[in-house]
Amino acid sequence: MLFALALCSPLLAQWSPAGDKIKTSWADQLNPKNVLPEYPRPIMERSEWKNLNGSWKYAITPKGTFAPASYQGEILVPFAIESGLSGVGKTVSEQQELWYQRTFDIPSGWHNKEILLYFGAVDWKADVWVNDIKVGEHTGGFTPFSFNITSVLNKKGNNQVVVKVWDPADRGEQPRGKQVERPGGIWYTPVTGIWQTVWLEPVMTQHIAHLKTTPDIDKKTIKVEVTTANTNSTDKIEVRLFDGKTQVAKGAALNGVAVDLGMPADAKLWSPESPFLYNMEVTLYKDGKQVDQVKSYTALRKFSTHKDKNGITRLQLNNQDYFQFGPLDQGWWPDGLYTAPTDEALVYDLKKIKDFGYNMVRKHVKVEPARWYTYCDQLGLIVWQDMPNGGRGPAEWQGGKYYDGADAIRSAASEANYRKEWKEIIDFLYSYPSIGVWVPFNESWGQFKTPEITAWTKEYDPSRLVNPASGGNHYTCGDILDLHNYPGPNLYLYDPVRATVLGEYGGIGMALKDHLWMPDKNWGYVKFNTPEEVTAEYIKYAEHLLELIEKGFSAAVYTQITDVEEEVNGLLTYDRKVIKVDEAKIKAINQKVCHSLNR
């Protein structure tokens, strides 16, 4: 009888997606016993690791209570509990907390090593226990974090990890992107809890913790800064760079000192047309013996601005005028919400962006897993990276002129969250060659202390451009003046000192039956009924954009690559099953726009 009851227990039930929303084709390919099995951090890779994705126990409890005595069911990690792919599909309020629990073992070959427990991202506040001992906590829903759990592991048998998560969505004072308690229009379903890969990695006591690479094409150098753990200043770092299997540069320095690599005269530059990446090997030596090594990659490229012969300030790539053109990419999935069902799904949108002939993508108020940025590096897509918004906007949005109103007033906690998480995002993404522009604010959403935040961002990373507020309240700071206009392009402000760009336009809608999040509730800035009509309208806007490029625009962002929830203004449906335009015609006009500044 007990055995029969156990078989009927929800903890042993077969996983299946929750809810009745549309799904991508990759949802059918998802193996719950092998979820997102790819190595999660390809820019700093080790050969040994253990994936903890899969079935975990979960419980939802009132905020402030202790760990539950029993759990309510199983959840498929790393899909947020609100998502269909989690197998749960429940909402967690700001008055509740979400608990996770699972057991794991340590491979026998790891017993003489330090064990690190990694979380790709958990939204928003996470407290973590291993074997009933708290190992740490983290706030911030978009960046990875880790804990050294070696001292609390059992010498024999299984270990238990417990995670408690609190996420107040739009009722809190944290960066949240487009998540709201009551989704609708341009605001979407909340995402609570673990939404990226959880994994273990064995390292030696002395090990490499972080890499920071900075290319300089003018000096033909690459600077590599290596952060290490449990080391001293007499240890040594060695860096080797490869073109395929051929070594092209080598350098070494004492621990804590940057390694400067001199590149050959014929060094290859990275661009969307030729996204060349150098393989990199970083080794840590102690007393002359190798104690750690990671594999990485880097690239030579430069993002800057420059006045052309007509006095227009242009964006430049590798010291050449270069028109950057790409879609708004919000990174949402009907079945996984923040999390793509598979790695193939994760890269699909990026491949389609390239197929459409774009050279850039704007990652809109979200941060993606590390593998997404590696794919941008490999495919050749310049990334404009937004800071996910939070807080309340200024009293007035004055997008059509330079701002003279009152700034947003954030609480001390809200401002501290913003500054902490923006720094963590830049630290996380710094070494990815494809990142070209930082965007601290979108429109006026939570916009505050814009000149100060912009100056800090530029000082913290002088190797990239800073777009202070895409379509927001405009101040004379940073590298870019960014206008939004729907549906068609319009150049209604111009800055002769900074590059003037069209940060959003388009939004051409078409609702397709059987591919809608809400069958009876959808919208676009303008709406048509056939792919031919949408394609014609898109081309009309692009031809107008070409005229405005001559008058001053240096980049543009089309809204958007896919439908998202109630928005039906994507080039693809939300389930990615239908391309809603004539792809060949779109590619032809996009390439004309991308090459509009070519000499």
Side-chain angles (χ1 to χ4, degrees):
M1 183 182 296
L2 288 174
F3 179 70
L5 288 172
L7 289 178
C8 295
S9 167
L11 295 182
L12 296 178
Q14 180 67 33
W15 169 86
S16 62
D20 59 357
K21 297 293 188 181
I22 56 173
K23 299 176 181 63
T24 67
S25 58
W26 296 284
D28 298 329
Q29 303 168 15
L30 179 61
N31 180 357
K33 295 182 179 180
N34 193 27
V35 183
L36 296 176
E38 297 80 14
Y39 188 80
R41 189 191 57 204
I43 204 165
M44 197 180 98
E45 187 168 355
R46 293 187 176 92
S47 58
E48 289 188 294
W49 71 294
K50 182 182 178 78
N51 196 333
L52 295 186
N53 290 343
S55 183
W56 293 49
K57 297 177 184 178
Y58 85 91
I60 300 171
T61 65
K63 187 174 185 290
T65 57
F66 290 104
S70 61
Y71 287 82
Q72 298 161 5
E74 289 195 353
I75 183 170
L76 193 64
V77 169
F79 299 103
I81 192 168
E82 295 90 348
S83 72
L85 293 183
S86 71
V88 181
K90 293 181 180 178
T91 299
V92 183
S93 78
E94 79 278 8
Q95 298 300 325
Q96 295 175 315
E97 291 169 327
L98 171 62
W99 294 80
Y100 296 83
Q101 185 270 341
R102 70 158 287 168
T103 59
F104 64 92
D105 59 9
I106 300 296
S108 57
W110 293 10
H111 287 313
N112 292 323
K113 295 185 177 181
E114 304 283 301
I115 308 300
L116 305 179
L117 172 61
Y118 283 93
F119 294 85
V122 181
D123 195 8
W124 176 73
K125 182 181 186 298
D127 296 83
V128 182
W129 293 261
V130 174
N131 296 329
D132 298 324
I133 299 173
K134 189 170 182 180
V135 296
E137 59 185 58
H138 179 263
T139 58
F142 299 96
T143 52
F145 58 96
S146 64
F147 306 112
N148 189 323
I149 61 172
T150 313
S151 63
V152 302
L153 293 172
N154 295 324
K155 293 184 178 179
K156 292 183 180 180
N158 285 339
N159 299 272
Q160 175 184 259
V161 57
V162 172
V163 181
K164 180 182 73 172
V165 178
W166 176 65
D167 180 18
D170 57 326
R171 292 182 177 269
E173 297 185 289
Q174 82 288 2
R176 64 181 185 275
K178 285 201 171 186
Q179 305 174 55
V180 293
E181 183 183 33
R182 297 179 180 178
I186 67 167
W187 306 103
Y188 314 140
T189 304
V191 173
T192 301
I194 299 170
W195 67 274
Q196 289 186 30
T197 292
V198 185
W199 48 295
L200 299 171
E201 189 169 52
V203 295
M204 300 300 291
T205 301
Q206 295 83 25
H207 60 271
I208 296 165
H210 184 68
L211 304 178
K212 181 180 179 182
T213 58
T214 307
D216 187 327
I217 72 168
D218 299 319
K219 297 180 180 177
K220 287 278 194 343
T221 62
I222 295 178
K223 181 168 73 172
V224 183
E225 299 169 84
V226 183
T227 303
T228 58
N230 304 313
T231 55
N232 57 51
S233 59
T234 61
D235 298 331
K236 189 182 81 169
I237 299 292
E238 182 183 80
V239 181
R240 297 198 297 164
L241 219 58
F242 299 87
D243 179 345
K245 294 184 178 180
T246 302
Q247 181 174 301
V248 296
K250 179 181 178 180
L254 289 176
N255 184 43
V257 179
V259 177
D260 292 312
L261 300 174
M263 300 299 292
D266 60 349
K268 299 174 182 177
L269 301 182
W270 183 95
S271 70
E273 292 72 29
S274 180
F276 182 82
L277 301 173
Y278 286 99
N279 295 321
M280 188 164 67
E281 196 175 80
V282 182
T283 309
L284 171 64
Y285 292 92
K286 184 173 184 61
D287 300 327
K289 296 181 180 180
Q290 176 180 319
V291 292
D292 193 18
Q293 184 178 86
V294 296
K295 295 188 182 302
S296 184
Y297 65 88
T298 188
L300 271 175
R301 56 93 184 99
K302 177 183 177 182
F303 298 105
S304 57
T305 61
H306 181 266
K307 281 190 180 295
D308 69 10
K309 63 181 181 181
N310 298 316
I312 298 172
T313 300
R314 297 294 189 186
L315 298 179
Q316 289 202 319
L317 174 64
N318 301 332
N319 295 325
Q320 299 292 324
D321 292 352
Y322 192 86
F323 193 87
Q324 298 184 24
F325 186 38
L328 197 74
D329 182 353
Q330 306 202 62
W332 285 75
W333 301 83
D335 35 32
L337 298 181
Y338 261 12
T339 311
T342 67
D343 196 62
E344 182 184 0
L346 182 70
V347 73
Y348 175 80
D349 288 0
L350 297 174
K351 288 181 176 178
K352 292 313 300 179
I353 290 169
K354 289 291 287 190
D355 289 345
F356 281 125
Y358 295 112
N359 58 26
M360 175 264 277
V361 56
R362 180 180 169 202
K363 179 47 60 179
H364 190 42
V365 296
K366 185 196 177 193
V367 180
E368 293 289 354
R371 293 185 65 84
W372 188 89
Y373 296 93
T374 291
Y375 284 131
C376 290
D377 295 338
Q378 294 172 343
L379 292 170
L381 281 169
I382 298 169
V383 177
W384 289 18
Q385 179 61 56
D386 287 11
M387 170 63 180
N389 57 284
R392 303 293 181 261
E396 184 179 3
W397 180 20
Q398 299 177 347
K401 64 175 187 177
Y402 284 99
Y403 189 61
D404 60 5
D407 226 351
I409 299 175
R410 288 191 181 231
S411 68
S414 176
E415 180 170 344
N417 287 336
Y418 177 98
R419 291 180 182 273
K420 171 187 177 291
E421 294 188 39
W422 186 221
K423 178 182 180 299
E424 287 182 354
I425 290 168
I426 295 175
D427 288 340
F428 166 44
L429 298 178
Y430 183 93
S431 293
Y432 291 91
S434 55
I435 305 285
V437 177
W438 299 118
V439 188
F441 299 107
N442 177 72
E443 296 180 348
S444 66
W445 303 349
Q447 189 175 343
F448 77 108
K449 298 183 179 179
T450 306
E452 181 182 335
I453 297 295
T454 300
W456 178 89
T457 305
K458 189 69 177 177
E459 182 179 5
Y460 196 63
D461 181 9
S463 71
R464 291 181 172 93
L465 303 176
V466 180
N467 180 355
S470 183
N473 287 329
H474 303 304
Y475 294 80
T476 54
C477 59
D479 302 296
I480 292 170
L481 169 65
D482 184 321
L483 313 180
H484 289 185
N485 198 76
Y486 287 101
N490 188 16
L491 179 57
Y492 52 84
L493 280 180
Y494 171 75
D495 193 321
V497 176
R498 300 177 296 164
T500 304
V501 308
L502 183 60
E504 289 183 30
Y505 81 99
I508 303 170
M510 184 176 76
L512 283 180
K513 185 181 178 182
D514 300 327
H515 302 279
L516 300 173
W517 178 260
M518 298 287 285
D520 58 348
K521 197 175 181 182
N522 52 76
W523 71 279
Y525 288 94
V526 290
K527 291 177 72 173
F528 295 91
N529 297 314
T530 68
E532 291 77 15
E533 291 174 328
V534 174
T535 301
E537 192 75 359
Y538 183 99
I539 291 172
K540 182 178 77 173
Y541 293 168
E543 288 174 342
H544 187 201
L545 176 61
L546 284 166
E547 297 173 1
L548 297 178
I549 291 170
E550 293 183 11
K551 297 179 180 179
F553 273 142
S554 291
V557 177
Y558 177 79
T559 301
Q560 59 185 321
I561 184 61
T562 73
D563 295 349
V564 184
E565 298 205 353
E566 294 180 16
E567 295 185 45
V568 293
N569 50 21
L571 299 174
L572 311 174
T573 56
Y574 195 19
D575 57 13
R576 277 72 165 178
K577 292 180 179 178
V578 180
I579 298 172
K580 299 198 290 181
V581 292
D582 185 319
E583 186 172 332
K585 290 181 178 179
I586 296 297
K587 180 175 182 177
I589 192 67
N590 284 351
Q591 285 286 282
K592 191 173 181 181
V593 172
C594 289
H595 298 148
S596 58
L597 298 182
N598 289 4
R599 295 294 179 261

